[in-house]
Amino acid sequence: MKTLAIIGSGDLGQQIAHYAISDKHYKKVVFFDDFTDKDKINGFCILGKTEAVEQEFLKKSFDELIIGIGYKHLQIRKSLFDRFEKKIPFGKIVHSSSWLDKTVQIKEGSIIYPRCSIDANVIIESNTILNIGCVVAHDSIVGRHSFLSPRVALAGFIKVEEMCIIGINATIIDNIRIVSETQIGGGAVVIKNIENPGLYVGNPVRFIR
């Protein structure tokens, strides 16, 4: 089995490492982190800062890469993915407790947490995270570098564009488009297209800033 490298050894990175090993996707996990001087965290080695990623890949210290930086730093997630996309293979994790129709496409660098349900003809684009218990109905697309919080529900024919954050328990009805760099608050209900980026909350959602 392969060795996975994760950029970011904070809470999200540690969670990803746990699923990578406990759900038997990878034999070994290593970290890169620009903000710690530790050599290990939870028993996993930290090989250095992000400037060492390419060198360590050439040394065969790992096989695939995933970005473990959370939703508060989507621009950093994007920039790191763009930096390494053409140079290093990205891995992906789809937890074994999730259900995916055979037509679903999960692109590189993405993580599907436990108990998600993803219906026919859905595309989850690169470097995207679906947290615990998300439901994505048929013919929907979740754009690159996006983050869906626990128990988000997307109906059919939805297009979530790049770098969006969908808050916990949010519901988006069918045939909705959400423009890039939009944040939907927890428990929100989206009933029409969102065409201007910003923060939206409520039922139905209203623009905040």
Side-chain angles (χ1 to χ4, degrees):
M1 291 179 73
K2 297 177 179 179
T3 296
L4 174 67
I6 300 173
I7 297 178
S9 64
D11 292 338
L12 180 65
Q14 292 174 46
Q15 237 180 11
I16 295 167
H18 169 71
Y19 291 137
I21 298 299
S22 66
D23 206 40
K24 300 180 179 177
H25 295 273
Y26 293 90
K27 182 178 181 180
K28 183 180 176 183
V29 169
V30 295
F31 283 109
F32 293 91
D33 196 305
D34 291 339
F35 301 100
T36 183
D37 295 323
K38 294 180 180 179
D39 295 324
K40 286 189 175 182
I41 189 161
N42 289 346
F44 300 114
C45 291
I46 298 175
L47 298 186
K49 301 184 185 301
T50 52
E51 63 189 18
V53 168
E54 291 180 59
Q55 179 182 355
E56 292 295 333
F57 179 68
L58 292 174
K59 288 165 60 177
K60 301 186 185 299
S61 299
F62 66 93
D63 301 290
E64 294 178 342
L65 185 64
I66 277 178
I67 298 170
I69 295 170
Y71 66 90
K72 294 182 180 179
H73 305 286
L74 289 190
Q75 185 60 56
I76 297 173
R77 284 184 61 84
K78 179 184 186 302
S79 63
L80 287 169
F81 186 85
D82 291 346
R83 174 178 169 183
F84 296 117
E85 184 177 13
K86 306 296 184 183
K87 300 175 181 177
I88 296 173
F90 275 84
K92 61 184 173 184
I93 295 173
V94 179
H95 196 274
S96 61
S97 65
S98 289
W99 174 81
L100 280 67
D101 185 82
K102 64 181 181 180
T103 59
V104 170
Q105 298 180 51
I106 308 293
K107 301 294 183 68
E108 65 274 16
S110 292
I111 303 139
I112 310 300
Y113 274 53
R115 303 294 181 185
C116 291
S117 295
I118 308 179
D119 202 1
N121 303 314
V122 167
I123 300 173
I124 307 298
E125 296 285 5
S126 303
N127 196 31
T128 287
I129 296 176
L130 271 63
N131 215 304
I132 293 171
C134 288
V135 176
V136 184
H138 61 91
D139 300 285
S140 292
I141 300 172
V142 181
R144 288 161 67 103
H145 323 299
S146 290
F147 188 99
L148 272 59
S149 302
R151 297 191 303 275
V152 165
L154 306 185
F157 298 107
I158 285 172
K159 174 66 183 293
V160 177
E161 295 187 352
E162 291 191 358
M163 297 178 63
C164 289
I165 303 168
I166 313 296
I168 186 169
N169 275 332
T171 300
I172 304 174
I173 69 163
D174 56 312
N175 292 289
I176 293 290
R177 171 180 167 266
I178 296 178
V179 72
S180 296
E181 299 184 53
T182 293
Q183 182 174 357
I184 305 296
V189 179
V190 182
I191 62 172
K192 61 182 180 181
N193 290 341
I194 293 180
E195 299 175 348
N196 297 302
L199 170 62
Y200 294 79
V201 302
N203 179 8
V205 293
R206 65 189 187 279
F207 175 78
I208 295 296
R209 62 176 183 270

Short mmCIF file of all heavy atoms in Angstrom, two decimals, residues 144-198:
data_model
loop_
_atom_site.label_atom_id
_atom_site.label_comp_id
_atom_site.label_asym_id
_atom_site.label_seq_id
_atom_site.Cartn_x
_atom_site.Cartn_y
_atom_site.Cartn_z
N ARG A 144 -14.20 22.78 -7.41
CA ARG A 144 -12.87 22.62 -6.84
C ARG A 144 -12.69 23.47 -5.58
O ARG A 144 -13.20 24.57 -5.48
CB ARG A 144 -11.79 23.02 -7.87
CG ARG A 144 -11.64 22.01 -8.99
CD ARG A 144 -10.96 22.63 -10.20
NE ARG A 144 -9.57 22.98 -9.97
CZ ARG A 144 -8.52 22.26 -10.40
NH1 ARG A 144 -8.71 21.14 -11.07
NH2 ARG A 144 -7.28 22.68 -10.17
N HIS A 145 -11.93 22.91 -4.64
CA HIS A 145 -11.49 23.60 -3.42
C HIS A 145 -12.66 24.00 -2.52
O HIS A 145 -12.54 24.93 -1.71
CB HIS A 145 -10.67 24.85 -3.76
CG HIS A 145 -9.77 24.71 -4.94
ND1 HIS A 145 -8.75 23.78 -4.98
CD2 HIS A 145 -9.74 25.36 -6.14
CE1 HIS A 145 -8.12 23.89 -6.16
NE2 HIS A 145 -8.71 24.82 -6.86
N SER A 146 -13.79 23.32 -2.63
CA SER A 146 -14.95 23.65 -1.80
C SER A 146 -14.99 22.78 -0.54
O SER A 146 -14.29 21.76 -0.45
CB SER A 146 -16.25 23.48 -2.60
OG SER A 146 -16.35 24.48 -3.59
N PHE A 147 -15.82 23.21 0.42
CA PHE A 147 -15.91 22.52 1.71
C PHE A 147 -17.37 22.42 2.11
O PHE A 147 -18.03 23.43 2.31
CB PHE A 147 -15.12 23.29 2.78
CG PHE A 147 -14.99 22.57 4.09
CD1 PHE A 147 -13.84 21.88 4.41
CD2 PHE A 147 -16.02 22.60 5.02
CE1 PHE A 147 -13.71 21.22 5.64
CE2 PHE A 147 -15.91 21.95 6.24
CZ PHE A 147 -14.75 21.25 6.55
N LEU A 148 -17.88 21.19 2.20
CA LEU A 148 -19.24 20.95 2.67
C LEU A 148 -19.17 20.45 4.11
O LEU A 148 -18.53 19.43 4.39
CB LEU A 148 -19.95 19.92 1.80
CG LEU A 148 -20.68 20.46 0.55
CD1 LEU A 148 -19.74 21.19 -0.39
CD2 LEU A 148 -21.40 19.33 -0.18
N SER A 149 -19.81 21.16 5.02
CA SER A 149 -19.82 20.82 6.44
C SER A 149 -20.73 19.60 6.69
O SER A 149 -21.44 19.16 5.79
CB SER A 149 -20.30 22.02 7.25
OG SER A 149 -19.47 23.15 7.02
N PRO A 150 -20.73 19.07 7.92
CA PRO A 150 -21.57 17.90 8.20
C PRO A 150 -23.05 18.10 7.87
O PRO A 150 -23.61 19.17 8.09
CB PRO A 150 -21.37 17.69 9.71
CG PRO A 150 -20.01 18.22 9.97
CD PRO A 150 -19.86 19.41 9.07
N ARG A 151 -23.63 17.06 7.30
CA ARG A 151 -25.07 16.94 7.03
C ARG A 151 -25.61 17.98 6.05
O ARG A 151 -26.80 18.32 6.08
CB ARG A 151 -25.88 16.97 8.34
CG ARG A 151 -25.57 15.80 9.26
CD ARG A 151 -26.56 15.71 10.41
NE ARG A 151 -26.62 16.93 11.21
CZ ARG A 151 -25.80 17.20 12.22
NH1 ARG A 151 -24.83 16.37 12.54
NH2 ARG A 151 -25.95 18.32 12.90
N VAL A 152 -24.77 18.48 5.19
CA VAL A 152 -25.27 19.33 4.09
C VAL A 152 -26.10 18.47 3.15
O VAL A 152 -25.75 17.32 2.86
CB VAL A 152 -24.10 19.99 3.34
CG1 VAL A 152 -24.54 20.56 2.01
CG2 VAL A 152 -23.47 21.08 4.20
N ALA A 153 -27.21 19.04 2.66
CA ALA A 153 -28.09 18.33 1.72
C ALA A 153 -28.20 19.14 0.43
O ALA A 153 -28.71 20.27 0.44
CB ALA A 153 -29.46 18.12 2.33
N LEU A 154 -27.73 18.57 -0.66
CA LEU A 154 -27.85 19.18 -1.98
C LEU A 154 -28.84 18.37 -2.79
O LEU A 154 -28.68 17.16 -2.95
CB LEU A 154 -26.51 19.21 -2.72
CG LEU A 154 -25.30 19.85 -2.04
CD1 LEU A 154 -24.12 19.87 -3.01
CD2 LEU A 154 -25.61 21.25 -1.56
N ALA A 155 -29.87 19.02 -3.33
CA ALA A 155 -30.82 18.33 -4.20
C ALA A 155 -30.20 18.16 -5.59
O ALA A 155 -29.02 18.43 -5.81
CB ALA A 155 -32.12 19.12 -4.26
N GLY A 156 -31.02 17.73 -6.55
CA GLY A 156 -30.51 17.42 -7.88
C GLY A 156 -30.24 18.65 -8.73
O GLY A 156 -30.81 19.72 -8.51
N PHE A 157 -29.35 18.48 -9.71
CA PHE A 157 -29.03 19.50 -10.71
C PHE A 157 -28.52 20.80 -10.07
O PHE A 157 -28.85 21.89 -10.51
CB PHE A 157 -30.24 19.79 -11.59
CG PHE A 157 -30.70 18.61 -12.39
CD1 PHE A 157 -31.87 17.94 -12.04
CD2 PHE A 157 -29.97 18.16 -13.48
CE1 PHE A 157 -32.31 16.85 -12.77
CE2 PHE A 157 -30.41 17.05 -14.22
CZ PHE A 157 -31.57 16.40 -13.87
N ILE A 158 -27.70 20.66 -9.03
CA ILE A 158 -27.10 21.82 -8.37
C ILE A 158 -25.67 21.99 -8.87
O ILE A 158 -24.96 21.02 -9.09
CB ILE A 158 -27.12 21.65 -6.84
CG1 ILE A 158 -28.54 21.85 -6.30
CG2 ILE A 158 -26.15 22.60 -6.15
CD1 ILE A 158 -28.70 21.52 -4.85
N LYS A 159 -25.27 23.23 -9.05
CA LYS A 159 -23.87 23.54 -9.39
C LYS A 159 -23.31 24.46 -8.30
O LYS A 159 -23.70 25.63 -8.20
CB LYS A 159 -23.78 24.23 -10.75
CG LYS A 159 -22.37 24.72 -11.12
CD LYS A 159 -21.41 23.56 -11.33
CE LYS A 159 -19.98 24.04 -11.64
NZ LYS A 159 -19.85 24.73 -12.92
N VAL A 160 -22.41 23.91 -7.50
CA VAL A 160 -21.66 24.70 -6.53
C VAL A 160 -20.31 24.99 -7.18
O VAL A 160 -19.55 24.06 -7.49
CB VAL A 160 -21.46 23.94 -5.20
CG1 VAL A 160 -20.61 24.75 -4.24
CG2 VAL A 160 -22.81 23.60 -4.57
N GLU A 161 -20.00 26.25 -7.38
CA GLU A 161 -18.76 26.59 -8.07
C GLU A 161 -17.57 26.54 -7.11
O GLU A 161 -17.69 26.07 -5.98
CB GLU A 161 -18.91 27.95 -8.76
CG GLU A 161 -19.96 27.91 -9.88
CD GLU A 161 -20.03 29.17 -10.70
OE1 GLU A 161 -19.37 30.18 -10.34
OE2 GLU A 161 -20.75 29.17 -11.72
N GLU A 162 -16.41 27.02 -7.55
CA GLU A 162 -15.16 26.86 -6.80
C GLU A 162 -15.15 27.62 -5.46
O GLU A 162 -15.77 28.66 -5.32
CB GLU A 162 -13.98 27.35 -7.64
CG GLU A 162 -13.66 26.49 -8.84
CD GLU A 162 -12.33 26.86 -9.46
OE1 GLU A 162 -11.69 27.81 -8.98
OE2 GLU A 162 -11.94 26.19 -10.43
N MET A 163 -14.41 27.05 -4.52
CA MET A 163 -14.07 27.72 -3.26
C MET A 163 -15.30 28.18 -2.49
O MET A 163 -15.33 29.28 -1.94
CB MET A 163 -13.12 28.89 -3.52
CG MET A 163 -11.79 28.46 -4.10
SD MET A 163 -10.70 29.88 -4.47
CE MET A 163 -10.47 30.53 -2.82
N CYS A 164 -16.30 27.33 -2.42
CA CYS A 164 -17.49 27.62 -1.63
C CYS A 164 -17.44 26.86 -0.30
O CYS A 164 -16.89 25.76 -0.23
CB CYS A 164 -18.76 27.23 -2.39
SG CYS A 164 -19.12 28.31 -3.79
N ILE A 165 -18.04 27.45 0.72
CA ILE A 165 -18.19 26.82 2.03
C ILE A 165 -19.69 26.70 2.30
O ILE A 165 -20.40 27.70 2.31
CB ILE A 165 -17.54 27.64 3.14
CG1 ILE A 165 -16.05 27.88 2.85
CG2 ILE A 165 -17.72 26.96 4.50
CD1 ILE A 165 -15.42 28.92 3.75
N ILE A 166 -20.16 25.48 2.51
CA ILE A 166 -21.57 25.25 2.82
C ILE A 166 -21.66 24.79 4.27
O ILE A 166 -21.08 23.77 4.65
CB ILE A 166 -22.19 24.18 1.89
CG1 ILE A 166 -21.84 24.44 0.42
CG2 ILE A 166 -23.69 24.14 2.09
CD1 ILE A 166 -22.36 25.72 -0.15
N GLY A 167 -22.35 25.57 5.11
CA GLY A 167 -22.37 25.33 6.55
C GLY A 167 -23.17 24.11 6.96
O GLY A 167 -24.00 23.59 6.21
N ILE A 168 -22.97 23.70 8.20
CA ILE A 168 -23.60 22.50 8.74
C ILE A 168 -25.12 22.56 8.62
O ILE A 168 -25.75 23.59 8.86
CB ILE A 168 -23.16 22.29 10.20
CG1 ILE A 168 -23.67 20.95 10.74
CG2 ILE A 168 -23.58 23.46 11.09
CD1 ILE A 168 -23.05 20.58 12.09
N ASN A 169 -25.71 21.45 8.17
CA ASN A 169 -27.17 21.30 8.05
C ASN A 169 -27.81 22.22 7.01
O ASN A 169 -29.03 22.37 7.00
CB ASN A 169 -27.86 21.52 9.40
CG ASN A 169 -27.89 20.27 10.25
OD1 ASN A 169 -27.88 19.16 9.73
ND2 ASN A 169 -27.90 20.44 11.55
N ALA A 170 -27.02 22.84 6.16
CA ALA A 170 -27.61 23.67 5.10
C ALA A 170 -28.32 22.79 4.08
O ALA A 170 -27.92 21.64 3.82
CB ALA A 170 -26.54 24.50 4.43
N THR A 171 -29.37 23.35 3.48
CA THR A 171 -30.16 22.66 2.47
C THR A 171 -30.23 23.53 1.22
O THR A 171 -30.53 24.72 1.30
CB THR A 171 -31.58 22.38 2.98
OG1 THR A 171 -31.51 21.55 4.14
CG2 THR A 171 -32.42 21.68 1.91
N ILE A 172 -29.97 22.91 0.07
CA ILE A 172 -30.04 23.63 -1.19
C ILE A 172 -31.00 22.87 -2.10
O ILE A 172 -30.79 21.69 -2.38
CB ILE A 172 -28.66 23.76 -1.84
CG1 ILE A 172 -27.69 24.45 -0.86
CG2 ILE A 172 -28.74 24.54 -3.15
CD1 ILE A 172 -26.26 24.51 -1.33
N ILE A 173 -32.08 23.55 -2.52
CA ILE A 173 -33.09 22.86 -3.34
C ILE A 173 -32.56 22.68 -4.76
O ILE A 173 -31.51 23.20 -5.12
CB ILE A 173 -34.44 23.59 -3.32
CG1 ILE A 173 -34.35 24.93 -4.07
CG2 ILE A 173 -34.92 23.80 -1.89
CD1 ILE A 173 -35.72 25.47 -4.42
N ASP A 174 -33.31 21.96 -5.58
CA ASP A 174 -32.84 21.56 -6.90
C ASP A 174 -32.71 22.73 -7.88
O ASP A 174 -33.33 23.78 -7.72
CB ASP A 174 -33.76 20.49 -7.48
CG ASP A 174 -35.20 20.95 -7.55
OD1 ASP A 174 -35.71 21.48 -6.54
OD2 ASP A 174 -35.81 20.81 -8.62
N ASN A 175 -31.85 22.50 -8.89
CA ASN A 175 -31.65 23.45 -9.99
C ASN A 175 -31.11 24.81 -9.53
O ASN A 175 -31.49 25.85 -10.06
CB ASN A 175 -32.95 23.66 -10.78
CG ASN A 175 -33.36 22.40 -11.53
OD1 ASN A 175 -32.73 22.04 -12.52
ND2 ASN A 175 -34.40 21.74 -11.03
N ILE A 176 -30.21 24.77 -8.56
CA ILE A 176 -29.61 25.99 -8.02
C ILE A 176 -28.14 26.09 -8.45
O ILE A 176 -27.43 25.09 -8.46
CB ILE A 176 -29.70 26.01 -6.48
CG1 ILE A 176 -31.15 26.12 -6.02
CG2 ILE A 176 -28.84 27.12 -5.88
CD1 ILE A 176 -31.79 27.45 -6.27
N ARG A 177 -27.72 27.30 -8.76
CA ARG A 177 -26.30 27.57 -9.01
C ARG A 177 -25.79 28.51 -7.92
O ARG A 177 -26.41 29.54 -7.64
CB ARG A 177 -26.10 28.22 -10.38
CG ARG A 177 -24.68 28.72 -10.64
CD ARG A 177 -24.56 29.36 -12.01
NE ARG A 177 -23.32 30.11 -12.16
CZ ARG A 177 -23.20 31.41 -11.93
NH1 ARG A 177 -24.26 32.12 -11.53
NH2 ARG A 177 -22.04 32.01 -12.09
N ILE A 178 -24.65 28.16 -7.33
CA ILE A 178 -24.02 29.00 -6.31
C ILE A 178 -22.67 29.44 -6.84
O ILE A 178 -21.79 28.62 -7.14
CB ILE A 178 -23.87 28.23 -4.99
CG1 ILE A 178 -25.26 27.89 -4.43
CG2 ILE A 178 -23.08 29.04 -3.97
CD1 ILE A 178 -25.24 27.08 -3.16
N VAL A 179 -22.48 30.75 -6.96
CA VAL A 179 -21.28 31.31 -7.57
C VAL A 179 -20.06 31.05 -6.69
O VAL A 179 -20.17 30.83 -5.48
CB VAL A 179 -21.48 32.83 -7.82
CG1 VAL A 179 -21.46 33.60 -6.50
CG2 VAL A 179 -20.45 33.36 -8.80
N SER A 180 -18.88 31.08 -7.29
CA SER A 180 -17.62 30.84 -6.58
C SER A 180 -17.45 31.79 -5.40
O SER A 180 -17.94 32.92 -5.41
CB SER A 180 -16.44 31.02 -7.53
OG SER A 180 -16.45 30.06 -8.56
N GLU A 181 -16.74 31.30 -4.38
CA GLU A 181 -16.36 32.07 -3.21
C GLU A 181 -17.58 32.55 -2.41
O GLU A 181 -17.60 33.66 -1.87
CB GLU A 181 -15.45 33.24 -3.59
CG GLU A 181 -14.15 32.79 -4.24
CD GLU A 181 -13.22 33.93 -4.54
OE1 GLU A 181 -12.91 34.71 -3.62
OE2 GLU A 181 -12.79 34.05 -5.70
N THR A 182 -18.56 31.67 -2.32
CA THR A 182 -19.76 31.93 -1.51
C THR A 182 -19.70 31.10 -0.24
O THR A 182 -19.27 29.95 -0.26
CB THR A 182 -21.03 31.59 -2.31
OG1 THR A 182 -21.15 32.49 -3.40
CG2 THR A 182 -22.27 31.67 -1.44
N GLN A 183 -20.16 31.68 0.87
CA GLN A 183 -20.30 30.95 2.12
C GLN A 183 -21.77 30.92 2.52
O GLN A 183 -22.41 31.97 2.61
CB GLN A 183 -19.47 31.58 3.24
CG GLN A 183 -19.57 30.80 4.55
CD GLN A 183 -18.65 31.34 5.63
OE1 GLN A 183 -17.87 32.27 5.39
NE2 GLN A 183 -18.72 30.77 6.82
N ILE A 184 -22.27 29.71 2.77
CA ILE A 184 -23.65 29.50 3.21
C ILE A 184 -23.61 29.12 4.69
O ILE A 184 -22.93 28.17 5.07
CB ILE A 184 -24.34 28.39 2.39
CG1 ILE A 184 -24.27 28.68 0.89
CG2 ILE A 184 -25.78 28.22 2.87
CD1 ILE A 184 -25.01 29.91 0.45
N GLY A 185 -24.32 29.86 5.52
CA GLY A 185 -24.29 29.63 6.96
C GLY A 185 -24.96 28.32 7.38
O GLY A 185 -25.73 27.71 6.63
N GLY A 186 -24.69 27.91 8.61
CA GLY A 186 -25.28 26.70 9.15
C GLY A 186 -26.80 26.77 9.20
O GLY A 186 -27.36 27.79 9.57
N GLY A 187 -27.46 25.68 8.81
CA GLY A 187 -28.91 25.59 8.84
C GLY A 187 -29.63 26.41 7.79
O GLY A 187 -30.85 26.48 7.79
N ALA A 188 -28.90 27.02 6.87
CA ALA A 188 -29.51 27.88 5.86
C ALA A 188 -30.26 27.06 4.82
O ALA A 188 -29.97 25.88 4.61
CB ALA A 188 -28.43 28.73 5.19
N VAL A 189 -31.21 27.71 4.17
CA VAL A 189 -31.97 27.09 3.08
C VAL A 189 -31.86 27.98 1.85
O VAL A 189 -32.24 29.15 1.89
CB VAL A 189 -33.44 26.88 3.47
CG1 VAL A 189 -34.21 26.25 2.31
CG2 VAL A 189 -33.55 26.00 4.71
N VAL A 190 -31.35 27.40 0.78
CA VAL A 190 -31.14 28.16 -0.47
C VAL A 190 -32.22 27.74 -1.46
O VAL A 190 -32.32 26.56 -1.82
CB VAL A 190 -29.74 27.89 -1.06
CG1 VAL A 190 -29.52 28.71 -2.33
CG2 VAL A 190 -28.66 28.20 -0.03
N ILE A 191 -33.03 28.70 -1.90
CA ILE A 191 -34.16 28.39 -2.79
C ILE A 191 -34.06 29.09 -4.15
O ILE A 191 -34.92 28.92 -4.99
CB ILE A 191 -35.51 28.75 -2.12
CG1 ILE A 191 -35.59 30.25 -1.84
CG2 ILE A 191 -35.70 27.93 -0.85
CD1 ILE A 191 -36.97 30.69 -1.36
N LYS A 192 -33.00 29.87 -4.35
CA LYS A 192 -32.79 30.48 -5.66
C LYS A 192 -31.29 30.67 -5.88
O LYS A 192 -30.49 30.60 -4.94
CB LYS A 192 -33.52 31.81 -5.77
CG LYS A 192 -33.10 32.87 -4.78
CD LYS A 192 -33.93 34.14 -4.96
CE LYS A 192 -33.51 35.22 -3.98
NZ LYS A 192 -34.33 36.45 -4.13
N ASN A 193 -30.91 30.91 -7.13
CA ASN A 193 -29.50 31.05 -7.48
C ASN A 193 -28.82 32.14 -6.65
O ASN A 193 -29.43 33.18 -6.35
CB ASN A 193 -29.34 31.41 -8.96
CG ASN A 193 -29.71 30.26 -9.88
OD1 ASN A 193 -29.76 29.10 -9.46
ND2 ASN A 193 -29.97 30.58 -11.12
N ILE A 194 -27.56 31.89 -6.32
CA ILE A 194 -26.73 32.92 -5.68
C ILE A 194 -25.70 33.37 -6.71
O ILE A 194 -24.84 32.60 -7.13
CB ILE A 194 -26.07 32.38 -4.41
CG1 ILE A 194 -27.16 32.12 -3.36
CG2 ILE A 194 -25.03 33.35 -3.88
CD1 ILE A 194 -26.66 31.58 -2.06
N GLU A 195 -25.83 34.62 -7.12
CA GLU A 195 -25.04 35.12 -8.25
C GLU A 195 -23.92 36.07 -7.83
O GLU A 195 -23.08 36.42 -8.66
CB GLU A 195 -25.97 35.82 -9.25
CG GLU A 195 -27.02 34.85 -9.81
CD GLU A 195 -28.03 35.52 -10.73
OE1 GLU A 195 -28.07 36.77 -10.74
OE2 GLU A 195 -28.76 34.79 -11.42
N ASN A 196 -23.90 36.48 -6.57
CA ASN A 196 -22.85 37.37 -6.07
C ASN A 196 -22.19 36.72 -4.86
O ASN A 196 -22.87 36.29 -3.93
CB ASN A 196 -23.43 38.72 -5.66
CG ASN A 196 -24.03 39.45 -6.85
OD1 ASN A 196 -23.35 39.72 -7.84
ND2 ASN A 196 -25.32 39.76 -6.77
N PRO A 197 -20.84 36.62 -4.86
CA PRO A 197 -20.16 35.97 -3.74
C PRO A 197 -20.37 36.73 -2.44
O PRO A 197 -20.60 37.94 -2.43
CB PRO A 197 -18.69 35.99 -4.16
CG PRO A 197 -18.58 37.07 -5.18
CD PRO A 197 -19.90 37.11 -5.88
N GLY A 198 -20.31 36.00 -1.33
CA GLY A 198 -20.48 36.62 -0.02
C GLY A 198 -20.97 35.61 0.98
O GLY A 198 -20.98 34.40 0.73
#
